[in-house]
Each structure stands twice: as C-alpha cells, then as structure tokens.
Amino acid sequence: MPRNRNTPTTRFFARHIKWLIGVAVMLVLMVTLTLASKIYRSAVAEATLQQGKQQLEMAKSASLGIQFFFQHIQEELILLEMQFRNPPSQPLTQFLHDHSHASGRRGLTGFTGVVGDKSTLYYSDNTVNEWLPQLLQHGLRELDAGDYQSDIWVSDVLPSGDNGNSQELSFVVMKNIESQPAASRRSEREVAGFIIDFDWLVSQFAPVQSEGSTFIWIMDQDGKLLFHPRHPEMVLRSIFNADQSCHSCHASFEQQASLLVKENEYGLYQVSSESAKIMAQTSVRFSNRSWHVFVSTDIEEVTAVVRKNLVLFFWLVGFAVVGIIGGGLALLLLNTRRVRAEALAQHCQETRDLHEQLSQASQLASVGELVDSVAHEMNTPMGVMSASIEDLLLRQTTTADAESLRFVRSQIWRMSNCTQRLLRFSRRMSFELRPIDVVQMVEECLQLLRHRFREKKIKLKTNWPATLPPAWLDPDQMQQVLLNLLNNSVDAIAEQNRPGHVELALNVTNGFNGHKHDLMICVSDSGAGVRPADVPKLFDPFFTTKPVGKGTGLGLYISHSIVNRHRGAIEVEASQLGGARFAIHIPACIEPTPGIGHG
C-alpha cells in the first residue's frame, strides 16, 4: 500500500496554518523582545558599574590632591616653627613673605605673630584681617583642651572678610610655635599659619564639572555643605538644620546623612522622587577636620549613552529577525502548498482504494448468496440419493453390496455436512452465546481447511489438554474468526514459497479481561510475521499487508469485532515459529467437561 502522509498531525497543521503562523511570529517577537530587554538591562548595569568605578577614581584623585596639599602646608608650618626657634639673619616676617610667594600661590596668605590680650599678627600680603585673632584664640583653646593628637588646628570653612557676608570662602590652618609648657604659658601665644582660599583649593584639586552631568560636591563631618556647583545657595548650610528652603529641592536628607559614615563607596543614589544618580564618595582627614568628597552623575545620562550605542545593534537585530521571519514564512507557505498537494493526492488514492474495496466486498456478498443457492440445490439431489440408498439397504442384498451402499451413504452424509457448514457460514444468523465444546468447534473448522494445508504442504499441529471447560460463544461466528486466522496463516506461509508450520493450541488461563477464567485459543505460524509499525493498524477496516488483489482488509477487522462482542480480547505478537501469533481470550464456564485429546 502507498505510504500514508495524510496523518492527523498533517491535517491539523493544514487546517490551522494561519493560527500557527501567527503564534510562531508572536513567539519569535516575544523571545526577541525578552532578549533585547535582557541585553539592555545588562548593558545599563555594566555601564553603571563602570561609571561608578570611574567616579570613585575621580573622588579619590580629588581627595588625594587635597590631602597632599595639607601635608605640604603642615611641612611649611614645621619649617616656620624651626625658623622661629632658630632665628636666621632675616626677620621671620620677611621669611614668611618670601616663602608664601615663592611658588606663586595666590590662594594662600601666610601669617605669624602673637595672639592674646594684645594680638599682633603679620601677614605675607601686608593685609589686616581683624576677624582672625578671635578665631585663632578659639583654635588655641581647642588645642589646649587636648582633643587632638596633632598641634595643628584647622578651622571651619567660613566667608572671608570681617562682616562675614562675603561670597568668597576660606579657612585657617594654624600651628602653635611656642615651646613653653601649658602651665607656664603667658596670655600671649606665638602662632603661625595660613589663610587658604577654599574656592581656589577646589578649583585646583576638584574641578567643578567634567563631561555631561558629572559634578563634584563636598560636605564636612558635621553635615555642612561646603561646595556644590548646582546649589550654591545651599553652601554652609547643614543637613541636620535644614529649613523650608532646603526642602524645596530635597524632600529628605536621610540619604545624605547616611553617607557621612561611609568611605570609598559607589552605587545608585536617589532621594524620594528625584531622578536617580550614580554616586561615588571618599573622605579626606586632617588634624581635627574631615571632608567628604562626592562625585555624582545622573543615571539618565548613562542610560542615554547606552541606548545610543545599542540603537545600531537593535536595528541590525531587528533586520535579522524580520529576515528570519520572512524567510520562515516563505518556506512555510511553500511547504504548506506541498503538504496540501500531497494530502489531496493521498485522499484521491485512498478514495480509489476504498471504491475497489467496496467493490470487492460487494463481490464477496454476491459469492455468499451464490454459495447459499448452490448449497440448497445440492441438498435436494443428495436427499433423494440418501433416501434411495436407505431403501436399498432395507432390502435384502448381499453383504458386499450392503458395504458398498453404506460407503456411498457415508460420503453423501459428508457432502451434506459440508453444505450445511457452508450454509451456516454464509447466513446472517442471530448472535446467541451458549456453552460450546471448543474442541469440537475447532475440529469442524479444521475439516474445512485440511485440503488447503495439504495443497500448500503445511504441517498442522494441534495442542490442548485432555479436559477443557466449555466456553461462552456463538459457534458460527467464532468459526468465522478461526477460519480467518487460519487462512491468513496459510497465505503468509504460501508467500514464502516453502513448506511451513501452523500450530493451533487451546488452554485455560486466569481471568484476562476481568473474568474469573478464560479460554485461550492461539494460532501460530512460521510466515513472515507482522511488522511492529503495522500492529496498531492491524485491526483497522480495509487495512491489509497482502498483495493487491489478494486481500480485502476486512478479515481481521470482522474477527476483532466478533471477539469484542464475545466480551473477549484478541492479541498479536511474534511467534516462536518465526511468524505471527494470534491469541483469543473468551470467557469460559467454571465446570470442566471432557474434551477431545491431542490431535
């Protein structure tokens, strides 16, 4: 038979091709969007990480510069102290003036002198700062309190000038250069130091702004903002004493307060509903003061750069996906047309095969009617012949004539039994289950087929116990099942063009199909057997493995239906003889009855 490509899967595919294409396109788009989203998130995360590391390096660079500056100031103060204790040929004020301007540092103003009830200070730029003596006295009191390990004191960052309203910021670094112990110190104290322009210091070591939205801001250990390029109006205000004007741009300062206890850290920073920022921070510690240097960047700038860099990649991916989908749809449509053409051709072939099988089934029905008519026509003359022989036997004849007449009568009875079996096989009789001697039924079937076994040179072997219980069955229909199985075995062996073997066995088994006892009828042969791929379709109507013109495909289908009607089951498996083995299970009666011995 031709290969059946019109499978249920193929038919389902052909009927729902549009829906399947739509689902496939949606799946491809979903997978693509998911991958694009993951790539974008990974790129943003990596860019954020790298930006955070870069900002931390910027913060460290600024803090190291400021730290180096303070170390240099400390060394100069030590040099001034040595000059004070070992006076050279030139006055201290002249040395201070020359040393402060030697390197052209415009942000530094050196000073030295006496601080006390009558303060006298000398400045390197010859200016007078009336606010400085009071600030220095406050610093000396803190140094005397012994709260610091160093003898150098650093003031807060304050507005420059006497009125405190100057826009310029500065701070003071002072060193007590008097060598007397604290107990013997007089009210006037010798000091030296520098007034440092804070804005100049920031411009030298912490650039106001680099590329884009990246900027530096500075806060001291008390939470006071020292420098912020975006909010200059908030400078010198503390986050711990924020007023209403501070909250106009920051809803909360809890995040900023938590940064004061951290060091050398970077990550995302967000306050309330404000836009998120990437922030890195480190600290600068000197004497009694510590500053925290922060570098911030808007996260939107980083994501904008990532999106800009990924636009070309996503366009290429989009074109690739569109190309893949388009090519897949084209191949799918071409394949669909091919599948539909093959399905149509297969349908036409199956229609032709079905017409042929129906025609053959009609011929078989006609043959059955012809057999019924011929059997009736043969019964009439055989009845006349049987009656005539009985009449002759009643007359007195010789012994030799009587033996001849009895032999003729037995042959007439044999012909009559044969026609009766043909009539029972061809008629549509009512289905009636009753206890039947299975051995006797099997012997009657074998009588009909012994001539085929002899013709094909097939050895028949029968095997059953001495006693078998009767079985619940309809003998006429069950004989039809056995005749189908035995004829199939003969045909399978005949196709091999060599002698073969057929074995028919009967046995009692435990309940196979939910019954208490079953009678199993097995038909085995040494033919070619059944391919495993054909087993699921073996009992389908019009399915046959025989050559064209030799099989209708209805025998096993009818046999399967008859066995199911008997509440039994039929199985097929490989036979020990090399061919196929069919096993029929039918309900058995409980009480055993004598059977016929081995055949």
Side-chain angles (χ1 to χ4, degrees), residues 100-145:
S100 297
H101 291 274
S103 59
R105 289 175 290 181
R106 292 171 293 179
L108 292 179
T109 300
F111 65 87
T112 185
V114 178
V115 177
D117 295 337
K118 294 182 179 180
S119 300
T120 302
L121 296 174
Y122 301 96
Y123 300 93
S124 61
D125 57 357
N126 297 321
T127 60
V128 178
N129 296 286
E130 296 181 357
W131 53 272
L132 184 59
Q134 185 178 358
L135 180 63
L136 296 179
Q137 289 180 11
H138 175 71
L140 289 172
R141 286 193 294 271
E142 289 189 357
L143 287 174
D144 292 340

Side-chain angles (χ1 to χ4, degrees), residues 465-493:
T467 58
L468 281 175
W472 291 96
L473 50 83
D474 185 306
D476 296 324
Q477 294 198 11
M478 190 54 64
Q479 280 185 346
Q480 184 177 353
V481 174
L482 288 176
L483 289 173
N484 283 332
L485 296 180
L486 292 170
N487 277 319
N488 287 341
S489 295
V490 172
D491 293 338
I493 295 173

Side-chain angles (χ1 to χ4, degrees), residues 500-561:
H501 302 271
V502 173
E503 181 178 354
L504 196 153
L506 306 176
N507 198 7
V508 177
T509 63
N510 294 328
F512 175 81
N513 202 21
H515 308 120
K516 189 172 182 180
H517 295 90
D518 280 339
L519 184 65
M520 183 175 65
I521 306 174
C522 293
V523 178
S524 306
D525 60 64
S526 59
V530 181
R531 295 185 303 174
D534 294 335
V535 172
K537 302 175 289 183
L538 201 59
F539 299 104
D540 292 345
F542 301 111
F543 176 80
T544 179
T545 59
K546 296 179 180 180
V548 178
K550 290 189 177 181
T552 63
L554 295 173
L556 290 178
Y557 169 71
I558 295 174
S559 300
H560 185 266
S561 301

Side-chain angles (χ1 to χ4, degrees), residues 23-40:
V23 171
V25 171
M26 290 298 296
L27 288 176
V28 172
L29 292 177
M30 289 176 61
V31 171
T32 303
L33 292 176
T34 302
L35 292 176
S37 176
K38 288 184 177 180
I39 293 173
Y40 175 74

Side-chain angles (χ1 to χ4, degrees), residues 150-163:
S150 174
D151 57 353
I152 296 177
W153 177 81
V154 182
S155 71
D156 288 334
V157 177
L158 301 170
S160 302
D162 296 334
N163 55 10

Side-chain angles (χ1 to χ4, degrees), residues 235-464:
V235 172
L236 299 185
R237 293 189 181 186
S238 175
I239 61 175
F240 300 109
N241 297 312
D243 55 16
Q244 188 64 31
S245 61
C246 298
H247 290 290
S248 62
C249 58
H250 285 77
S252 172
F253 292 94
E254 295 180 359
Q255 187 75 21
Q256 291 90 331
S258 65
L259 299 177
L260 296 177
V261 298
K262 299 178 180 179
E263 187 173 356
N264 296 332
E265 187 175 277
Y266 62 91
L268 288 179
Y269 162 79
Q270 186 173 15
V271 178
S272 299
S273 59
E274 300 176 8
S275 61
K277 296 179 176 61
I278 302 173
M279 191 276 300
Q281 69 97 10
T282 186
S283 61
V284 183
R285 302 184 185 276
F286 37 84
S287 186
N288 58 313
R289 293 291 170 189
S290 64
W291 294 348
H292 296 268
V293 180
F294 301 89
V295 180
S296 298
T297 301
D298 291 339
I299 189 66
E300 289 296 329
E301 180 178 337
V302 178
T303 56
V305 173
V306 172
R307 287 194 297 270
K308 181 180 179 181
N309 294 333
L310 290 180
V311 164
L312 179 60
F313 172 75
F314 285 142
W315 274 109
L316 293 176
V317 171
F319 283 131
V321 171
V322 170
I324 292 173
I325 293 177
L329 290 178
L331 292 175
L332 189 60
L333 291 176
L334 292 175
N335 190 56
T336 302
R337 292 181 179 179
R338 181 183 62 81
V339 170
R340 287 179 175 175
E342 291 181 355
L344 181 60
Q346 181 65 28
H347 178 71
C348 294
Q349 181 62 38
E350 290 180 352
T351 303
R352 289 191 295 269
D353 294 342
L354 184 59
H355 281 298
E356 293 177 1
Q357 292 165 356
L358 289 176
S359 176
Q360 188 171 4
S362 177
Q363 292 177 2
L364 290 175
S366 299
V367 170
E369 294 177 358
L370 180 60
V371 168
D372 187 44
S373 176
V374 171
H376 277 292
E377 291 297 329
M378 289 179 63
N379 279 335
T380 300
M382 284 190 297
V384 174
M385 293 169 61
S386 178
S388 299
I389 290 175
E390 289 293 338
D391 181 62
L392 292 174
L393 286 174
L394 291 176
R395 299 177 184 179
Q396 295 299 327
T397 58
T398 62
T399 302
D401 294 337
E403 289 296 328
S404 299
L405 290 173
R406 290 190 185 94
F407 177 76
V408 173
R409 184 182 63 180
S410 65
Q411 295 303 313
I412 292 174
W413 287 352
R414 180 181 176 186
M415 293 175 63
S416 178
N417 291 333
C418 183
T419 55
Q420 290 297 324
R421 284 194 294 269
L422 288 174
L423 285 174
R424 285 198 302 268
F425 184 74
S426 61
R427 290 174 185 171
R428 182 181 297 273
M429 299 181 180
S430 61
F431 182 76
E432 180 181 358
L433 293 177
R434 61 181 185 273
I436 296 297
D437 185 351
V438 180
V439 176
Q440 182 178 355
M441 180 195 69
V442 170
E443 287 289 356
E444 291 180 1
C445 292
L446 294 178
Q447 288 294 333
L448 292 174
L449 294 176
R450 287 190 187 276
H451 67 284
R452 289 206 66 193
F453 286 103
R454 288 193 299 268
E455 179 185 356
K456 303 296 181 181
K457 299 180 180 179
I458 298 173
K459 294 182 179 180
L460 176 64
K461 180 181 179 182
T462 58
N463 184 16
W464 49 75

